[in-house]
Amino acid sequence: MTITSIVRLTFKPEALAEAEQAVRTSLELARSFEGNLGIEVLVDREDSTRWLLVERWASEDSDAAYRAYRAEKGVKSALGPLLAGPPEVVKYDVSPA
């Protein structure tokens, strides 16, 4: 069953100029990872430091494999120093409604 992971990022205001390219570079791996069905990047219209990554995965296993790969291989992104706090990840199932 497909799942959607929502990753909430809050950037430091002074880091916004670098944020778009850093996110684009960071997502190259995710978008090419087996089981990734796409990722959209949303920027809050009222507070441009708040971004959501809407990730669609073919299965819970695909999502877990990607996150484990990043952790096991020590894949670092340039996002860390740009963030005001740690990313938050929430997973959702698609409702048949």
Side-chain angles (χ1 to χ4, degrees):
M1 172 175 18
T2 62
I3 68 160
T4 299
S5 293
I6 307 289
V7 181
R8 185 168 53 181
L9 305 172
T10 302
F11 290 99
K12 297 173 185 172
E14 66 274 14
L16 284 177
E18 299 173 64
E20 185 174 345
Q21 184 56 47
V23 168
R24 182 178 287 120
T25 300
S26 179
L27 293 182
E28 286 177 12
L29 172 63
R31 287 179 169 139
S32 66
F33 203 85
E34 184 176 346
N36 182 270
L37 303 176
I39 300 175
E40 288 184 289
V41 179
L42 307 175
V43 179
D44 187 312
R45 294 175 83 183
E46 295 182 14
D47 181 354
S48 61
T49 66
R50 298 187 319 195
W51 295 29
L52 294 178
L53 308 181
V54 181
E55 305 176 355
R56 291 183 329 274
W57 294 93
S59 67
E60 177 72 30
D61 290 342
S62 298
D63 178 74
Y66 166 70
R67 296 187 198 291
Y69 175 83
R70 286 190 75 107
E72 290 168 9
K73 299 294 183 188
V75 177
K76 304 237 186 256
S77 80
L79 296 180
L82 307 177
L83 294 171
E88 297 178 45
V89 179
V90 180
K91 297 180 183 186
Y92 294 86
D93 292 321
V94 177
S95 169

Coordinates of all heavy atoms in Angstrom, one line a residue:
M1 N 0.8 -1.2 0.0 CA 0.0 0.0 0.0 C 0.9 1.2 0.0 O 1.9 1.3 0.7 CB -0.9 0.0 1.2 CG -1.6 1.3 1.4 SD -2.9 1.5 2.7 CE -2.6 0.3 3.9
T2 N 0.5 2.2 -0.8 CA 1.3 3.4 -0.9 C 1.1 4.2 0.4 O 0.1 4.1 1.1 CB 0.9 4.3 -2.1 OG1 -0.4 4.7 -1.9 CG2 1.1 3.6 -3.4
I3 N 2.2 5.0 0.8 CA 2.1 5.9 1.9 C 2.6 7.3 1.5 O 3.3 7.4 0.5 CB 2.9 5.3 3.2 CG1 4.4 5.4 2.9 CG2 2.5 4.0 3.6 CD1 5.2 5.4 4.2
T4 N 2.3 8.2 2.3 CA 2.8 9.6 2.1 C 3.4 10.0 3.4 O 2.9 9.8 4.5 CB 1.6 10.5 1.8 OG1 1.0 10.1 0.6 CG2 2.1 12.0 1.7
S5 N 4.7 10.5 3.3 CA 5.4 11.0 4.4 C 5.5 12.5 4.2 O 5.8 13.0 3.2 CB 6.8 10.5 4.5 OG 6.8 9.1 4.8
I6 N 5.1 13.3 5.3 CA 5.2 14.7 5.3 C 6.4 15.1 6.2 O 6.4 14.7 7.4 CB 3.9 15.4 5.9 CG1 2.7 14.9 5.2 CG2 4.1 16.9 5.8 CD1 2.5 15.3 3.8
V7 N 7.3 15.8 5.6 CA 8.5 16.2 6.3 C 8.4 17.7 6.5 O 8.3 18.4 5.5 CB 9.8 15.8 5.6 CG1 11.0 16.3 6.4 CG2 9.9 14.3 5.3
R8 N 8.4 18.2 7.7 CA 8.3 19.6 8.0 C 9.7 20.2 8.3 O 10.3 19.7 9.2 CB 7.3 19.9 9.1 CG 7.1 21.4 9.3 CD 6.0 21.8 10.2 NE 6.1 21.1 11.5 CZ 5.2 21.2 12.5 NH1 4.1 22.0 12.3 NH2 5.4 20.5 13.6
L9 N 10.1 21.2 7.5 CA 11.3 21.9 7.7 C 11.1 23.3 8.1 O 10.2 24.0 7.5 CB 12.2 21.8 6.5 CG 12.4 20.4 5.8 CD1 13.1 20.6 4.5 CD2 13.3 19.6 6.8
T10 N 11.9 23.8 9.0 CA 11.8 25.2 9.3 C 13.3 25.8 9.2 O 14.2 25.3 9.9 CB 11.3 25.5 10.7 OG1 10.0 25.0 10.9 CG2 11.2 27.0 11.0
F11 N 13.4 26.7 8.3 CA 14.7 27.2 8.0 C 15.0 28.5 8.8 O 14.1 29.2 9.2 CB 14.9 27.6 6.5 CG 15.0 26.3 5.7 CD1 13.8 25.9 5.0 CD2 16.1 25.6 5.5 CE1 13.9 24.8 4.2 CE2 16.2 24.5 4.8 CZ 15.1 24.0 4.1
K12 N 16.3 28.8 9.1 CA 16.7 30.0 9.7 C 16.4 31.1 8.6 O 16.7 30.9 7.4 CB 18.2 30.0 10.0 CG 18.5 29.0 11.0 CD 20.0 28.9 11.2 CE 20.5 27.8 12.1 NZ 21.9 27.6 12.1
P13 N 15.8 32.2 9.0 CA 15.5 33.3 8.0 C 16.7 33.7 7.1 O 16.6 33.9 5.9 CB 15.0 34.5 8.9 CG 14.5 33.8 10.1 CD 15.4 32.6 10.3
E14 N 17.9 33.8 7.7 CA 19.1 34.2 7.0 C 19.6 33.1 6.0 O 20.4 33.3 5.2 CB 20.2 34.6 7.9 CG 20.7 33.5 8.8 CD 20.0 33.2 10.1 OE1 18.8 33.7 10.3 OE2 20.6 32.5 10.9
A15 N 19.0 31.9 6.1 CA 19.4 30.8 5.3 C 18.5 30.5 4.0 O 18.8 29.7 3.2 CB 19.5 29.5 6.1
L16 N 17.5 31.3 3.9 CA 16.5 31.1 2.8 C 17.1 31.2 1.4 O 16.7 30.5 0.5 CB 15.3 32.1 2.9 CG 14.3 31.7 4.0 CD1 13.2 32.7 4.1 CD2 13.7 30.3 3.8
A17 N 18.1 32.0 1.3 CA 18.7 32.2 -0.1 C 19.4 30.9 -0.5 O 19.4 30.6 -1.7 CB 19.7 33.3 0.0
E18 N 19.8 30.1 0.4 CA 20.5 28.8 0.1 C 19.5 27.6 0.2 O 19.9 26.5 -0.3 CB 21.6 28.5 1.2 CG 22.7 29.6 1.2 CD 23.6 29.3 2.4 OE1 24.3 28.2 2.4 OE2 23.7 30.1 3.3
A19 N 18.4 27.8 0.8 CA 17.5 26.7 1.0 C 17.0 25.9 -0.2 O 17.1 24.7 -0.3 CB 16.3 27.1 1.8
E20 N 16.6 26.6 -1.2 CA 16.1 26.0 -2.4 C 17.1 25.0 -3.1 O 16.8 23.9 -3.4 CB 15.6 27.0 -3.5 CG 14.9 26.3 -4.6 CD 14.2 27.2 -5.6 OE1 14.0 28.4 -5.2 OE2 13.9 26.8 -6.7
Q21 N 18.3 25.5 -3.3 CA 19.3 24.6 -3.9 C 19.7 23.5 -3.0 O 19.9 22.4 -3.4 CB 20.6 25.4 -4.3 CG 21.6 24.6 -5.0 CD 21.0 23.9 -6.3 OE1 20.3 24.5 -7.1 NE2 21.3 22.6 -6.5
A22 N 19.8 23.7 -1.7 CA 20.1 22.7 -0.7 C 19.0 21.6 -0.7 O 19.4 20.4 -0.7 CB 20.3 23.2 0.6
V23 N 17.8 22.0 -0.8 CA 16.7 21.0 -0.8 C 16.7 20.2 -2.1 O 16.6 19.0 -2.1 CB 15.3 21.7 -0.6 CG1 14.2 20.7 -0.9 CG2 15.2 22.2 0.9
R24 N 16.9 20.9 -3.2 CA 17.0 20.3 -4.5 C 18.1 19.2 -4.5 O 17.8 18.1 -5.0 CB 17.2 21.3 -5.6 CG 17.2 20.7 -7.0 CD 17.4 21.8 -8.1 NE 16.2 22.5 -8.2 CZ 16.1 23.8 -8.0 NH1 17.1 24.6 -7.7 NH2 14.9 24.4 -8.2
T25 N 19.2 19.6 -4.0 CA 20.4 18.6 -4.0 C 20.1 17.4 -3.1 O 20.3 16.3 -3.4 CB 21.6 19.3 -3.5 OG1 21.9 20.4 -4.5 CG2 22.8 18.4 -3.5
S26 N 19.5 17.7 -1.9 CA 19.2 16.7 -1.0 C 18.1 15.7 -1.5 O 18.2 14.5 -1.3 CB 18.6 17.3 0.3 OG 18.3 16.3 1.3
L27 N 17.2 16.2 -2.3 CA 16.1 15.3 -2.8 C 16.5 14.5 -4.1 O 15.8 13.6 -4.5 CB 14.9 16.2 -3.1 CG 14.2 16.8 -1.8 CD1 13.0 17.5 -2.2 CD2 13.9 15.7 -0.8
E28 N 17.6 14.8 -4.7 CA 18.1 14.0 -5.8 C 18.1 12.6 -5.5 O 17.6 11.7 -6.3 CB 19.4 14.5 -6.4 CG 19.3 15.9 -7.1 CD 20.7 16.4 -7.6 OE1 21.7 15.6 -7.5 OE2 20.7 17.5 -8.0
L29 N 18.7 12.2 -4.4 CA 18.8 10.8 -3.9 C 17.4 10.2 -3.7 O 17.1 9.2 -4.2 CB 19.7 10.7 -2.7 CG 19.7 9.3 -2.0 CD1 20.3 8.3 -3.0 CD2 20.5 9.4 -0.8
A30 N 16.6 11.0 -2.9 CA 15.3 10.5 -2.6 C 14.4 10.2 -3.8 O 13.8 9.2 -3.9 CB 14.6 11.4 -1.6
R31 N 14.5 11.1 -4.7 CA 13.6 11.0 -5.9 C 14.1 9.8 -6.8 O 13.3 9.3 -7.6 CB 13.6 12.3 -6.7 CG 12.8 13.4 -6.0 CD 12.8 14.7 -6.8 NE 11.7 15.6 -6.3 CZ 11.9 16.9 -6.1 NH1 13.1 17.4 -6.5 NH2 11.0 17.6 -5.7
S32 N 15.3 9.5 -6.7 CA 15.8 8.4 -7.6 C 15.8 7.0 -6.8 O 16.1 6.0 -7.4 CB 17.2 8.7 -8.1 OG 18.2 8.7 -7.0
F33 N 15.4 7.0 -5.6 CA 15.5 5.8 -4.7 C 14.3 4.9 -5.1 O 13.2 5.4 -5.4 CB 15.3 6.2 -3.3 CG 15.9 5.1 -2.3 CD1 17.2 5.1 -2.0 CD2 15.0 4.2 -1.8 CE1 17.7 4.1 -1.2 CE2 15.5 3.2 -0.9 CZ 16.9 3.2 -0.6
E34 N 14.6 3.6 -5.2 CA 13.5 2.6 -5.6 C 12.3 2.8 -4.6 O 12.4 2.8 -3.4 CB 14.1 1.2 -5.5 CG 13.1 0.2 -5.9 CD 13.7 -1.2 -5.9 OE1 14.9 -1.4 -5.8 OE2 12.9 -2.2 -6.0
G35 N 11.2 2.9 -5.2 CA 9.9 3.0 -4.5 C 9.4 4.4 -4.3 O 8.3 4.6 -3.8
N36 N 10.2 5.4 -4.7 CA 9.8 6.8 -4.5 C 8.9 7.1 -5.7 O 9.2 6.8 -6.9 CB 10.9 7.7 -4.5 CG 10.4 9.2 -4.3 OD1 10.2 9.8 -5.3 ND2 10.3 9.6 -3.1
L37 N 7.7 7.6 -5.4 CA 6.7 7.9 -6.4 C 6.6 9.4 -6.7 O 5.8 9.8 -7.6 CB 5.3 7.4 -6.0 CG 5.2 5.9 -5.7 CD1 3.8 5.5 -5.2 CD2 5.6 5.1 -6.9
G38 N 7.4 10.2 -6.0 CA 7.4 11.6 -6.2 C 7.5 12.4 -4.9 O 7.1 11.9 -3.8
I39 N 8.0 13.6 -5.0 CA 8.1 14.5 -3.9 C 7.8 15.9 -4.3 O 8.3 16.4 -5.3 CB 9.6 14.5 -3.3 CG1 10.0 13.1 -2.8 CG2 9.7 15.5 -2.1 CD1 11.4 12.9 -2.3
E40 N 6.9 16.5 -3.6 CA 6.5 17.9 -3.8 C 7.1 18.7 -2.7 O 7.1 18.3 -1.5 CB 5.0 18.1 -3.9 CG 4.4 17.5 -5.1 CD 2.9 17.9 -5.1 OE1 2.2 17.3 -4.3 OE2 2.5 18.7 -6.0
V41 N 7.6 19.9 -3.0 CA 8.1 20.8 -2.0 C 7.1 22.0 -1.9 O 6.8 22.7 -2.9 CB 9.5 21.3 -2.3 CG1 10.0 22.3 -1.3 CG2 10.4 20.1 -2.5
L42 N 6.5 22.2 -0.7 CA 5.6 23.3 -0.5 C 6.2 24.3 0.5 O 6.8 24.0 1.5 CB 4.3 22.7 0.1 CG 3.6 21.6 -0.6 CD1 2.4 21.1 0.2 CD2 3.2 22.0 -2.0
V43 N 6.0 25.6 0.2 CA 6.5 26.7 1.0 C 5.3 27.5 1.5 O 4.4 27.9 0.8 CB 7.4 27.6 0.2 CG1 7.9 28.8 1.1 CG2 8.6 26.8 -0.4
D44 N 5.3 27.7 2.8 CA 4.2 28.4 3.5 C 4.1 29.8 2.9 O 5.1 30.5 2.8 CB 4.5 28.5 5.0 CG 3.4 29.1 5.8 OD1 2.8 30.1 5.4 OD2 3.0 28.5 6.8
R45 N 2.9 30.2 2.5 CA 2.7 31.5 1.9 C 2.9 32.7 2.9 O 3.2 33.8 2.5 CB 1.3 31.6 1.2 CG 1.2 30.6 0.1 CD -0.2 30.6 -0.4 NE -0.3 31.8 -1.4 CZ -1.5 32.1 -2.0 NH1 -2.6 31.4 -1.7 NH2 -1.5 33.1 -2.8
E46 N 2.6 32.4 4.1 CA 2.7 33.5 5.1 C 4.1 33.5 5.9 O 4.4 34.5 6.5 CB 1.6 33.4 6.1 CG 0.2 33.6 5.4 CD -0.9 33.6 6.4 OE1 -0.7 33.6 7.6 OE2 -2.1 33.5 5.9
D47 N 4.8 32.4 5.8 CA 6.1 32.3 6.5 C 7.0 31.4 5.7 O 7.0 30.2 5.7 CB 5.9 31.7 7.9 CG 7.2 31.6 8.7 OD1 8.3 31.9 8.1 OD2 7.2 31.2 9.9
S48 N 7.8 32.1 4.8 CA 8.6 31.4 3.9 C 9.8 30.6 4.5 O 10.5 29.9 3.8 CB 9.2 32.3 2.8 OG 10.0 33.3 3.5
T49 N 9.9 30.6 5.8 CA 10.9 29.7 6.5 C 10.3 28.3 6.7 O 11.1 27.4 7.0 CB 11.3 30.3 7.8 OG1 10.3 30.3 8.8 CG2 11.9 31.7 7.7
R50 N 9.0 28.1 6.6 CA 8.4 26.8 6.8 C 8.0 26.1 5.5 O 7.3 26.6 4.7 CB 7.1 27.0 7.6 CG 7.4 27.7 9.0 CD 6.2 27.7 9.9 NE 4.9 28.1 9.2 CZ 3.9 28.5 9.8 NH1 3.8 28.6 11.1 NH2 2.8 28.9 9.1
W51 N 8.6 24.9 5.4 CA 8.5 24.1 4.2 C 7.9 22.8 4.5 O 8.2 22.2 5.6 CB 9.8 24.0 3.5 CG 10.4 25.2 2.9 CD1 10.3 26.5 3.4 CD2 11.3 25.3 1.8 NE1 11.0 27.3 2.6 CE2 11.7 26.6 1.7 CE3 11.8 24.3 0.9 CZ2 12.6 27.1 0.7 CZ3 12.7 24.8 -0.1 CH2 13.0 26.1 -0.2
L52 N 7.2 22.2 3.6 CA 6.7 20.8 3.7 C 7.2 20.0 2.5 O 7.2 20.5 1.4 CB 5.2 20.7 3.8 CG 4.5 21.3 4.9 CD1 3.0 21.1 4.7 CD2 4.9 20.6 6.2
L53 N 7.8 18.8 2.8 CA 8.1 17.9 1.7 C 7.0 16.8 1.7 O 6.9 16.1 2.7 CB 9.5 17.3 1.9 CG 10.7 18.2 2.2 CD1 11.9 17.4 2.4 CD2 10.8 19.2 1.1
V54 N 6.3 16.7 0.7 CA 5.3 15.7 0.6 C 5.8 14.5 -0.3 O 5.9 14.6 -1.5 CB 4.0 16.3 -0.1 CG1 2.9 15.2 -0.1 CG2 3.5 17.5 0.7
E55 N 6.2 13.5 0.4 CA 6.9 12.3 -0.2 C 5.9 11.2 -0.4 O 5.2 10.8 0.6 CB 8.0 11.8 0.6 CG 9.0 12.9 1.0 CD 10.1 12.3 1.9 OE1 10.0 11.2 2.4 OE2 11.0 13.1 2.2
R56 N 5.8 10.7 -1.6 CA 4.9 9.5 -1.9 C 5.8 8.3 -2.1 O 6.7 8.3 -2.9 CB 4.0 9.8 -3.0 CG 2.9 10.8 -2.7 CD 2.0 11.1 -3.9 NE 2.5 10.9 -5.2 CZ 3.1 11.8 -5.9 NH1 3.3 13.0 -5.5 NH2 3.5 11.5 -7.2
W57 N 5.5 7.2 -1.4 CA 6.3 6.0 -1.5 C 5.4 4.8 -1.8 O 4.2 4.8 -1.4 CB 7.0 5.7 -0.1 CG 8.0 6.7 0.2 CD1 7.9 7.9 0.9 CD2 9.4 6.8 -0.3 NE1 9.0 8.6 0.9 CE2 10.0 7.9 0.2 CE3 10.1 5.9 -1.0 CZ2 11.3 8.3 0.0 CZ3 11.5 6.2 -1.3 CH2 12.0 7.4 -0.8
A58 N 5.9 3.9 -2.6 CA 5.2 2.7 -3.0 C 4.7 1.8 -1.9 O 3.7 1.2 -1.9 CB 6.0 1.8 -4.0
S59 N 5.5 1.9 -0.8 CA 5.2 1.1 0.4 C 5.9 1.6 1.6 O 6.8 2.4 1.5 CB 5.6 -0.4 0.2 OG 7.0 -0.5 0.1
E60 N 5.4 1.2 2.8 CA 6.1 1.5 4.0 C 7.6 1.0 4.0 O 8.5 1.6 4.5 CB 5.4 0.8 5.2 CG 6.1 1.0 6.6 CD 6.0 2.4 7.1 OE1 5.0 3.1 6.8 OE2 6.9 2.9 7.8
D61 N 7.8 -0.2 3.4 CA 9.1 -0.8 3.3 C 10.0 0.1 2.4 O 11.2 0.3 2.7 CB 9.1 -2.2 2.6 CG 8.5 -3.2 3.6 OD1 8.4 -2.9 4.8 OD2 8.0 -4.3 3.1
S62 N 9.5 0.7 1.3 CA 10.3 1.6 0.5 C 10.8 2.8 1.3 O 11.9 3.2 1.2 CB 9.5 2.1 -0.7 OG 9.2 1.0 -1.5
D63 N 9.8 3.4 2.0 CA 10.1 4.6 2.8 C 11.2 4.2 3.9 O 12.1 4.9 4.1 CB 8.8 5.1 3.5 CG 9.1 6.3 4.4 OD1 9.3 7.4 3.9 OD2 9.0 6.1 5.6
A64 N 11.0 3.1 4.6 CA 11.9 2.7 5.6 C 13.3 2.4 5.1 O 14.3 2.7 5.7 CB 11.3 1.5 6.4
A65 N 13.3 1.8 3.9 CA 14.6 1.4 3.3 C 15.4 2.7 2.9 O 16.6 2.8 3.1 CB 14.4 0.6 2.0
Y66 N 14.7 3.7 2.4 CA 15.3 5.0 2.1 C 15.9 5.6 3.4 O 17.1 6.0 3.4 CB 14.3 5.9 1.4 CG 14.8 7.3 1.4 CD1 15.9 7.7 0.5 CD2 14.3 8.3 2.1 CE1 16.4 9.0 0.5 CE2 14.7 9.6 2.1 CZ 15.8 9.9 1.3 OH 16.3 11.2 1.2
R67 N 15.1 5.7 4.4 CA 15.6 6.3 5.6 C 16.7 5.5 6.3 O 17.7 6.1 6.8 CB 14.4 6.6 6.6 CG 13.4 7.5 6.0 CD 12.3 8.0 6.8 NE 11.2 8.6 6.0 CZ 11.3 9.7 5.4 NH1 12.4 10.4 5.4 NH2 10.3 10.1 4.6
A68 N 16.6 4.2 6.2 CA 17.7 3.4 6.7 C 19.0 3.6 5.9 O 20.1 3.6 6.5 CB 17.3 1.9 6.7
Y69 N 18.8 3.6 4.6 CA 20.0 3.8 3.7 C 20.7 5.1 4.1 O 21.9 5.1 4.2 CB 19.5 3.9 2.3 CG 20.7 4.2 1.3 CD1 21.5 3.2 0.8 CD2 20.9 5.5 0.8 CE1 22.6 3.5 0.0 CE2 21.9 5.8 0.0 CZ 22.7 4.8 -0.5 OH 23.8 5.1 -1.3
R70 N 20.0 6.2 4.2 CA 20.6 7.5 4.6 C 21.3 7.4 5.9 O 22.4 7.9 6.1 CB 19.6 8.6 4.6 CG 19.1 9.0 3.2 CD 18.3 10.3 3.3 NE 19.1 11.4 3.5 CZ 19.4 12.3 2.6 NH1 18.9 12.2 1.4 NH2 20.1 13.4 2.9
A71 N 20.7 6.7 6.9 CA 21.3 6.6 8.2 C 22.5 5.7 8.2 O 23.6 6.0 8.7 CB 20.3 6.0 9.2
E72 N 22.4 4.5 7.5 CA 23.5 3.5 7.5 C 24.7 4.0 6.7 O 25.9 3.8 7.1 CB 23.0 2.2 6.9 CG 22.0 1.5 7.7 CD 21.4 0.3 7.0 OE1 21.7 0.0 5.9 OE2 20.4 -0.2 7.6
K73 N 24.5 4.7 5.6 CA 25.6 5.2 4.8 C 26.1 6.5 5.2 O 27.0 7.1 4.7 CB 25.1 5.3 3.3 CG 24.7 4.0 2.7 CD 25.8 3.0 2.6 CE 25.3 1.8 1.9 NZ 26.3 0.7 1.9
G74 N 25.5 7.1 6.3 CA 25.9 8.4 6.7 C 25.7 9.5 5.7 O 26.5 10.4 5.7
V75 N 24.7 9.3 4.9 CA 24.4 10.4 3.9 C 24.0 11.6 4.6 O 23.0 11.7 5.3 CB 23.3 9.9 2.9 CG1 23.0 11.0 1.9 CG2 23.7 8.6 2.2
K76 N 24.7 12.6 4.4 CA 24.5 13.9 5.1 C 24.0 14.9 4.0 O 24.3 14.8 2.8 CB 25.7 14.5 5.7 CG 26.4 13.6 6.7 CD 26.5 14.2 8.0 CE 27.3 13.3 8.9 NZ 26.5 12.7 9.9
S77 N 23.2 15.8 4.4 CA 22.7 16.8 3.5 C 23.2 18.2 4.0 O 23.6 18.3 5.1 CB 21.2 16.8 3.3 OG 20.6 17.5 4.4
A78 N 23.2 19.1 3.1 CA 23.6 20.5 3.4 C 22.5 21.2 4.2 O 22.7 22.4 4.6 CB 23.9 21.3 2.2
L79 N 21.4 20.6 4.5 CA 20.3 21.2 5.2 C 20.6 21.5 6.6 O 20.1 22.6 7.2 CB 19.0 20.4 5.1 CG 18.5 20.2 3.7 CD1 17.2 19.3 3.8 CD2 18.2 21.5 3.0
G80 N 21.3 20.7 7.3 CA 21.5 20.8 8.8 C 21.8 22.2 9.3 O 21.1 22.8 10.1
P81 N 22.8 22.9 8.7 CA 23.1 24.2 9.2 C 22.1 25.3 8.9 O 22.1 26.4 9.4 CB 24.5 24.5 8.6 CG 25.0 23.3 8.0 CD 23.8 22.4 7.8
L82 N 21.3 25.0 7.9 CA 20.3 26.0 7.4 C 19.0 25.9 8.3 O 18.2 26.8 8.2 CB 19.9 25.7 6.0 CG 21.1 25.7 5.0 CD1 20.6 25.4 3.6 CD2 21.9 27.0 5.0
L83 N 18.8 24.8 9.0 CA 17.5 24.6 9.7 C 17.5 25.3 11.1 O 18.5 25.3 11.8 CB 17.3 23.1 9.9 CG 17.1 22.3 8.6 CD1 17.1 20.8 8.9 CD2 15.8 22.7 8.0
A84 N 16.3 25.7 11.5 CA 16.1 26.3 12.8 C 15.9 25.3 13.8 O 16.0 25.6 15.0 CB 15.0 27.3 12.7
G85 N 15.6 24.1 13.4 CA 15.3 23.0 14.4 C 15.3 21.7 13.6 O 15.4 21.7 12.4
P86 N 15.2 20.5 14.3 CA 15.2 19.2 13.6 C 14.0 19.1 12.7 O 12.9 19.6 13.0 CB 15.2 18.2 14.7 CG 14.7 18.9 15.9 CD 15.0 20.4 15.7
P87 N 14.1 18.3 11.6 CA 12.9 18.0 10.7 C 11.9 17.2 11.5 O 12.3 16.4 12.4 CB 13.5 17.3 9.6 CG 15.0 17.5 9.6 CD 15.3 17.8 11.0
E88 N 10.7 17.3 11.1 CA 9.6 16.5 11.7 C 9.0 15.6 10.6 O 8.8 16.1 9.5 CB 8.5 17.3 12.3 CG 9.0 18.1 13.5 CD 7.9 19.0 14.1 OE1 6.8 18.5 14.2 OE2 8.1 20.2 14.3
V89 N 8.9 14.3 10.8 CA 8.3 13.4 9.8 C 7.0 12.8 10.3 O 7.0 12.2 11.5 CB 9.3 12.3 9.4 CG1 8.7 11.4 8.4 CG2 10.6 12.9 9.0
V90 N 6.0 12.9 9.6 CA 4.7 12.3 9.9 C 4.3 11.4 8.7 O 4.4 11.9 7.5 CB 3.6 13.3 10.2 CG1 2.3 12.6 10.6 CG2 4.0 14.2 11.3
K91 N 3.8 10.2 8.9 CA 3.4 9.3 7.8 C 1.9 9.1 7.8 O 1.3 9.1 8.8 CB 4.1 7.9 8.0 CG 5.6 8.1 7.9 CD 6.3 6.7 8.1 CE 7.8 7.0 8.1 NZ 8.5 5.7 8.1
Y92 N 1.4 9.1 6.5 CA -0.1 9.0 6.3 C -0.3 7.9 5.4 O 0.4 7.6 4.4 CB -0.6 10.3 5.7 CG -0.5 11.5 6.6 CD1 0.6 12.2 6.7 CD2 -1.6 11.8 7.4 CE1 0.7 13.4 7.5 CE2 -1.5 12.9 8.3 CZ -0.3 13.7 8.3 OH -0.3 14.8 9.1
D93 N -1.5 7.2 5.6 CA -2.0 6.2 4.6 C -3.0 7.0 3.8 O -3.7 7.9 4.2 CB -2.7 5.0 5.3 CG -1.7 4.2 6.1 OD1 -0.5 4.0 5.5 OD2 -2.0 3.7 7.2
V94 N -3.2 6.5 2.6 CA -4.3 7.1 1.7 C -5.6 6.4 2.0 O -5.7 5.2 2.1 CB -3.9 6.8 0.2 CG1 -5.0 7.3 -0.7 CG2 -2.6 7.5 -0.2
S95 N -6.6 7.3 2.3 CA -7.9 6.8 2.7 C -8.7 6.4 1.4 O -8.6 7.0 0.4 CB -8.7 7.9 3.4 OG -10.0 7.5 3.5
P96 N -9.5 5.3 1.5 CA -10.3 4.9 0.4 C -11.5 5.9 0.2 O -12.3 5.7 -0.7 CB -10.7 3.5 0.7 CG -10.7 3.5 2.2 CD -9.6 4.4 2.6
A97 N -11.7 6.8 1.1 CA -12.9 7.7 1.1 C -12.9 8.6 -0.2 O -11.9 8.9 -0.7 CB -12.9 8.6 2.3

